[in-house]
């Protein structure tokens, strides 16, 4: 997981245009709707019975200012009962367990997980982000069965995205500046493409899982980008050519993690 900076999350979850509104326009679903679909739960699932504790972690490069508060706000928007623990690290974890938290969310420089205490199962951010953005792309495209989709970036998020898109019936292509990484994903049925720019210019359904600012001039008219990659920036040409660009620096991935984590308990009931 790439470490976020406070600047990247300063507007989470209150962006200029609310994320739910942007997602409704692009994909016809809210964050919660996408997260429920990603977790395989019905649209009317009540999540209010879940107690979530967000534990700030100080190790490595330390606490990202605003991160725990942002995760807390995201989880509350899903209708869950959430708070940030007073203690940090092991203290915070212990506090969460003693308070009877069902789900504990915490991140260091490398991992961000939602841990379901009752079921002793974790959902990590790469999985949640890939799944959320794959579901968003599927909805924005009106289904992916038999359609060509390009995954840009064959790292942690891209590798999961390839598998989810394959499961959705897409004809999946993958590209990476390190071609060998894309090639490795052929084990899941994805077709590797060597020339990143050419691949982008020849596809209109794209999941961008790379820290790549894509020049607008290589974007095909009518493209739909499901784009978790940060830094996130599309120039004027790119924005005018793209039919839809789905992005936020944290909320979709974190929401999928929390809802999927709750799903472990719901599916057992
Ligand atoms: N929006 C969110 O909620 C969210 C959550 C997790 C990760 N991210 C972002 O998603 C991206 C992927 O995350 P990750 O954990 O898989 O990272 P990663 O480092 O594991 O993978 C990134 C991959 O992109 C490739 N790459 C880099 N520049 C490229 C370029 N110009 N063209 C093609 N490929 C290129 C790298 O070789 C690497 O394989 C990162 O930008 C990360 O910050 C966003």
């Amino acid at each position: 997981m790439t470490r976020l900076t406070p600047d990247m999350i300063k507007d989470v979850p209150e962006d200029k245009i609310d994320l739910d509104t942007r997602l409704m326009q692009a994909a016809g679903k809210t964050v919660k709707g996408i997260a429920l679909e990603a977790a395989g739960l019905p649209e009317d699932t009540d999540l209010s019975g879940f107690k979530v504790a967000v534990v700030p972690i100080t190790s490595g490069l330390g606490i990202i200012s605003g991160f725990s508060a942002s995760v807390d706000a995201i989880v509350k928007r899903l209708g869950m009962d959430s708070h940030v623990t007073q203690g940090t690290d092991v203290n915070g974890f212990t506090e969460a367990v003693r308070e009877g938290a069902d789900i504990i969310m915490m991140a260091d420089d490398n991992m961000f997980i939602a841990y379901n205490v009752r079921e002793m199962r974790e959902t990590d951010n790469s999985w949640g982000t890939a799944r959320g953005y794959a579901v968003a792309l599927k909805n924005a495209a009106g289904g992916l069965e038999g359609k060509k989709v390009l995954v840009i970036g064959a790292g942690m998020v891209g590798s999961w995205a390839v598998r989810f898109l394959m499961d959705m019936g897409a004809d999946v292509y993958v590209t990476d500046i390190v071609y060998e990484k894309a090639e490795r994903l052929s084990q899941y049925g994805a077709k590797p493409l060597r020339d990143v720019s050419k691949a982008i210019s020849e596809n209109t359904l794209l999941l961008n899982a790379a820290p790549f600012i894509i020049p607008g001039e290589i974007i095909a008219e009518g493209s739909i980008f499901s784009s978790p990659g940060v830094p996130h920036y599309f120039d004027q040409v790119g924005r005018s050519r793209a039919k839809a660009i789905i992005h936020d620096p944290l909320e979709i991935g974190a929401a999928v993690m929390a809802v999927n984590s709750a799903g472990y308990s719901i599916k057992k009931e």
Side-chain angles (χ1 to χ4, degrees), residues 75-187:
V75 173
K76 283 195 176 104
R77 275 161 59 107
L78 296 167
M80 295 163 125
D81 173 6
S82 174
H83 76 291
V84 180
T85 57
Q86 295 214 314
T88 65
D89 308 297
V90 179
N91 267 331
F93 186 86
T94 309
E95 185 186 320
V97 172
R98 289 190 180 150
E99 283 169 359
D102 302 302
I103 296 168
I104 298 176
M105 298 186 73
M106 53 192 173
D108 65 11
D109 294 345
N110 300 308
M111 286 290 278
F112 173 23
I113 62 163
Y115 180 65
N116 182 318
V117 181
R118 285 194 246 159
E119 309 305 327
M120 294 187 287
R121 291 185 71 177
E122 51 81 27
T123 304
D124 85 74
N125 182 255
S126 302
W127 188 98
T129 302
R131 193 142 179 100
Y133 280 83
V135 167
L137 183 62
K138 185 190 120 195
N139 282 280
L144 292 176
E145 192 69 51
K147 294 184 188 169
K148 260 182 89 181
V149 176
L150 177 69
V151 175
I152 308 158
M156 289 190 291
V157 174
S159 307
W160 279 118
V162 159
R163 283 172 264 182
F164 298 141
L165 294 164
M166 290 293 302
D167 289 347
M168 291 169 183
D171 182 16
V172 182
Y173 289 75
V174 59
T175 191
D176 196 293
I177 35 167
V178 184
Y179 177 69
E180 293 67 32
K181 293 185 80 171
E183 208 174 22
R184 253 177 259 148
L185 299 185
S186 58
Q187 67 178 300

Side-chain angles (χ1 to χ4, degrees), residues 9 12 18-19 25 33 36 57 73 77 89 103-104 112 141 147 164 180-181 196-197 205 220 222 225 238 251 261:
I9 53 171
V12 175
D18 166 65
L19 178 61
Q25 282 167 359
L36 286 167
I57 302 290
R77 275 161 59 107
D89 308 297
I103 296 168
I104 298 176
F112 173 23
K147 294 184 188 169
F164 298 141
E180 293 67 32
K181 293 185 80 171
V196 176
S197 297
L205 297 176
F225 276 90
E251 187 161 357
S261 195

Side-chain angles (χ1 to χ4, degrees), residues 233-246:
Y233 178 75
F234 282 76
D235 61 27
Q236 197 79 40
V237 178
R239 276 182 276 132
S240 68
R241 289 191 182 175
K243 186 172 157 202
I245 298 170
I246 297 163

